[in-house]
Structure formats: structure tokens, C-alpha cells
Amino acid sequence: MTTGASAAEPAAAGVAVAELAAAGLALTVQDAVATITLSRPERRNAMTPSMWHGLARAGSLVPGHVRVVVVRGAGPSFCAGIDLRMFSAEGVPGEADSLRPGEPGFGASIAEFQAGYLWLRDPRFVSIAAVQGHAIGAGFQLALSCDLRILADDASFCMREPALGLVPDLTGTKPLVDIVGLPRAIELCLTARTVGAAEAAQLRLAELVVPAAELDAAVGDLTAALLSTDAAAARATKALLGQAHGHTLEEQAAAERTAQAALLAARAAGAPRP
Ligand code: ACO
């Protein structure tokens, strides 16, 4: 792991870097920004169980001071989804055989894969998917797991699972419905059609669409803007916003009062204000 302000133990960091690299991932931490890169461009960053486990591991390695996590893909595509060789008799070299449906532990193994996606909602930080090229299936769900999405103008989304006889099961269905609404989510998933960047912006699946050459700069600008607000207030506000959907107005108003009191009490008690 490349670290900026606070370096992990060198030996432990070296082990982590090797583990993640073997899973097709890289994690860098520079000051308050962590970047996770899917690093299998020759396969369009197709995903394997090792990569899903690696994503969960990367989440556990993100230091507490990090406020923004950027998820990106190396090469022309953000992520081409599950490695289709997993469905072949030969499988993917180096990958253990997956459990079959009906075998004990099948559901638990999916839960382990989902753990690679779930941590991206943590209120400690804001996660940003920087998407160029294709984001298909498991890759679309990875983008959906992030709080915000910035798209290059060549980006496209496709929930291909139903076309392959599968349901999307990597935590993408809830954010998809939350963002585009149930009718559009049904239409997108059950046709498995591809949504280009312009339509993604119309559907609120992209916060911003920029020319491909400007993707990194746009992510940098958004990151800088996110880091310009008070860290504790930002974390408490993200947690508050995340509860709003499941709350009545009265419950949310109460949650606002509780959050404000806790934030100000912590500050009065001398909690650091970066
Ligand atoms: N699994 C395994 N290998 C893949 C995958 C994948 N999902 N996607 C691409 N690759 C490999 C290709 O086989 C090819 O390998 P090769 O060079 O040895 O022939 C290499 O990556 C480059 O792929 P191309 O198809 O040549 O690249 P291109 O840019 O033309 O197309 C695209 C990219 C559109 C992503 C295309 O590769 C594709 O449709 N891939 C399959 C996508 C898919 O159906 N994913 C499953 C979704 S469902 C789910 O995730 C649960």
C-alpha cells in the first residue's frame, strides 16, 4: 500500500500490497484520500471471488483519517463484470471452485462477496466511482455502491445479470431503485440494456459527465470540494442523510437534533477539528 501522511507498518503494508495485487487490486492512500484501482485491464477488470474478497480487505485497510475513497478501473473499461470464465468448466486459473447452489454455505459465500461492496457506504468517508468505458453487471453494482459517480463521456452502464440467467446480487438493486425509481429499475434490469453516459446523467446515475481526458481532474476537483468542509460535520451529515429514506419527517427531525447535539458536545469536549 502506498501511504501518504500516516504509513502503515512497512512489513504489514508490503503483505497487504501483495495480497491486493494478487486479487487484481491496488490501494493507495494519500493524506485524506484513498484510491482503489481495479488493475486487470487486459480482462477489462473482470471480477473474481478473489477480487471481491480483496475489495473487502481493502476496505479494512482504509485508515480512519480518510475522508474520500475513489474507486476506479485501469485501462479502457471501469469493469466488465464477473469473469465469465467462472461459468466455464475450466474456471479461472488460480481461483478456488465456487460453491454450487444448494451446497451448504452458498448464501454465506455471496454475503462474503457483498462485503466487498457494502463498506463503501461507510459514513466515515464519501466514496466516488470514477467510471470510464464499460461498467457491466458486477461492475455497474460496484459503481452503484459508491455514494457518487463521475462518468467519462464514453462510460456506459448495463445490468446484464438477468440476460445471463442471474439476479444482481452484489448490493446494487437497492441503490438502483433508490436512484432511478422502481419502474425504470425494472426496465433497465429486465431488458439488460446499456445506458450511455448522457442518459445516465438524466437518470441521476451520474453526478457529472466529463470528457474522458478530464475524468481524473473532475474527480480531483470534487475531492477537494468534499475536503473543504468540516470533517466531523461531514461524517455526521452523511450518516444523517443516509437514514432519511427510512424515516418519517418526525423521526428525521429527531435524528437531526440528536446528531447536532452529539457533534457539538464532541467539539466542546475537545474533539479535534481538522
Ligand atoms: N470475463 C472474462 N474476460 C473478459 C470479460 C469478462 N467479463 N470481459 C472482457 N474480457 C476479456 C476478453 O475475453 C478479452 O480477452 P482476450 O484479449 O484474451 O480475448 C479482453 O478481456 C478484452 O475484451 P474485448 O471484448 O476484446 O474488449 P472490448 O473493449 O472490445 O469489449 C466489453 C469490452 C464490452 C466489456 C466486452 O469484453 C464484454 O462484453 N465483456 C463481457 C461483459 C459481461 O457480460 N460481463 C458479465 C456481466 S454479469 C455479472 O457481472 C454478474
Side-chain angles (χ1 to χ4, degrees):
M1 177 172 25
T2 307
T3 55
S6 67
E9 289 289 324
V15 171
V17 168
E19 270 180 31
L20 295 182
L25 295 168
L27 169 66
T28 61
V29 180
Q30 187 66 48
D31 301 322
V33 183
T35 302
I36 294 171
T37 306
L38 311 186
S39 305
R40 200 173 274 145
E42 70 285 0
R43 288 257 160 218
R44 302 297 183 263
N45 301 317
M47 302 176 103
T48 60
S50 295
M51 192 183 274
W52 294 322
H53 287 129
L55 279 172
R57 175 90 173 107
S60 73
L61 291 168
V62 169
H65 68 269
V66 162
R67 294 186 56 196
V68 175
V69 174
V70 177
V71 180
R72 55 197 299 278
S77 293
F78 177 74
C79 175
I82 193 169
D83 192 317
L84 292 169
R85 293 173 301 170
M86 285 175 59
F87 299 132
S88 70
E90 298 75 30
V92 180
E95 288 288 325
D97 287 342
S98 298
L99 290 172
R100 293 176 206 288
E103 282 186 333
F106 179 73
S109 74
I110 296 177
E112 287 180 12
F113 304 157
Q114 291 173 332
Y117 290 65
L118 285 169
W119 66 271
L120 288 159
R121 283 89 164 180
D122 193 316
R124 279 189 300 142
F125 45 72
V126 177
S127 50
I128 304 172
V131 182
Q132 82 289 355
H134 301 95
I136 303 175
F140 183 19
Q141 295 189 69
L142 183 62
L144 284 166
S145 299
C146 293
D147 298 310
L148 306 173
R149 281 151 292 281
I150 299 191
L151 270 54
D153 53 10
D154 69 347
S156 62
F157 289 139
C158 173
M159 198 68 92
R160 188 162 292 168
E161 284 83 345
L164 298 178
L166 300 167
V167 298
D169 65 353
L170 292 166
T171 79
T173 57
K174 180 164 174 53
L176 183 65
V177 171
D178 286 348
I179 295 168
V180 304
L182 181 58
R184 183 61 70 190
I186 291 172
E187 185 264 324
L188 291 179
C189 291
L190 275 61
T191 63
R193 75 175 172 90
T194 296
V195 173
E199 185 185 3
Q202 280 174 5
L203 295 176
R204 295 182 298 151
L205 287 166
E207 274 51 59
L208 188 63
V209 177
V210 297
E214 295 170 22
L215 182 61
D216 289 347
V219 172
D221 289 347
L222 176 58
T223 297
L226 289 166
L227 294 179
S228 71
T229 54
D230 179 87
R235 287 175 171 140
T237 302
K238 183 180 163 187
L240 193 56
L241 294 171
Q243 299 166 357
H245 216 65
H247 276 172
T248 64
L249 179 60
E250 291 72 20
E251 288 167 342
Q252 187 67 4
E256 289 173 0
R257 296 192 294 274
T258 303
Q260 194 75 293
L263 177 68
L264 297 179
R267 190 167 300 145
R273 186 171 182 169

